[in-house]
Amino acid sequence: MVDRDRDDAGRAHNSRPRDRLGRPLPPGSVGVARIPDDLDLPPQQTLTFAQQLLDDGLAFNAHEVLEAAWKNGPFAERMLWQALAQLAVGVTHIQRGNPKGARTLLTRAVTRLTEYRPADGADTYGIDHAGLISHSQALIDALDAQTPISPEELTPQLRG
């Protein structure tokens, strides 16, 4: 059995450094700054932080920020935050050269963004649902056509 790093609650935790695309590096390597496992930001700060990471080409880290919101936020918003996290990890798969994984995650993001309906019908936190669906679908179409995707196309705008 492999001995894994664990957090205080006994959950598996990988403390190895990671590269810009979130891939583990050998122990002792210098990687990019990690997102704390206990990150718990208000929604607007989460979106601002995730957008900054996306703009900097750090989609994997943006995924971790959005995943924290998904796991820590209200149950009624879980589908929304999960969709955003899946969009970010879909971009990560494109950055890593994994079109199949990218297509799968981007399709899940589109489905969840399409199905998410806030209880009050309002636009949640200014998130650009329609724009993100369109952006994700354009990435899926490019993957299906095996068209090169520029770095600029890998920076979805979370808010309108």
Side-chain angles (χ1 to χ4, degrees):
M1 179 182 233
V2 176
D3 186 29
R4 298 183 67 184
D5 296 332
R6 303 266 173 199
D7 64 16
D8 292 339
R11 291 183 298 266
H13 169 75
N14 188 340
S15 61
R16 284 175 56 187
R18 292 183 177 267
D19 70 7
R20 290 185 55 82
L21 303 181
R23 296 175 295 213
L25 295 169
S29 298
V30 177
V32 298
R34 299 288 301 264
I35 302 301
D37 289 330
D38 60 351
L39 185 70
D40 190 9
L41 299 173
Q44 292 296 350
Q45 287 181 346
T46 294
L47 291 167
T48 298
F49 190 20
Q51 187 66 62
Q52 178 184 8
L53 293 165
L54 287 167
D55 292 348
D56 290 343
L58 297 168
F60 180 80
N61 285 33
H63 151 263
E64 289 186 325
V65 169
L66 295 163
E67 186 176 61
W70 159 24
K71 293 181 177 179
N72 295 324
F75 181 79
E77 296 176 4
R78 288 189 70 161
M79 183 182 290
L80 171 64
W81 294 109
Q82 185 177 23
L84 298 177
Q86 289 173 329
L87 170 56
V89 82
V91 170
T92 300
H93 281 294
I94 293 171
Q95 291 173 325
R96 291 178 178 176
N98 178 6
K100 182 178 179 187
R103 188 181 199 300
T104 298
L105 273 295
L106 291 169
T107 300
R108 288 179 188 167
V110 167
T111 299
R112 284 187 171 85
L113 284 168
T114 302
E115 292 176 356
Y116 176 74
R117 297 287 178 259
D120 61 4
D123 198 19
T124 310
Y125 310 116
I127 294 170
D128 184 6
H129 289 82
L132 291 172
I133 291 167
S134 176
H135 189 95
S136 299
Q137 192 58 56
L139 292 174
I140 292 167
D141 293 345
L143 290 166
D144 288 347
Q146 298 180 354
T147 304
I149 299 171
S150 71
E152 294 78 27
E153 293 172 286
L154 298 178
T155 56
Q157 297 304 301
L158 300 176
R159 292 182 274 209

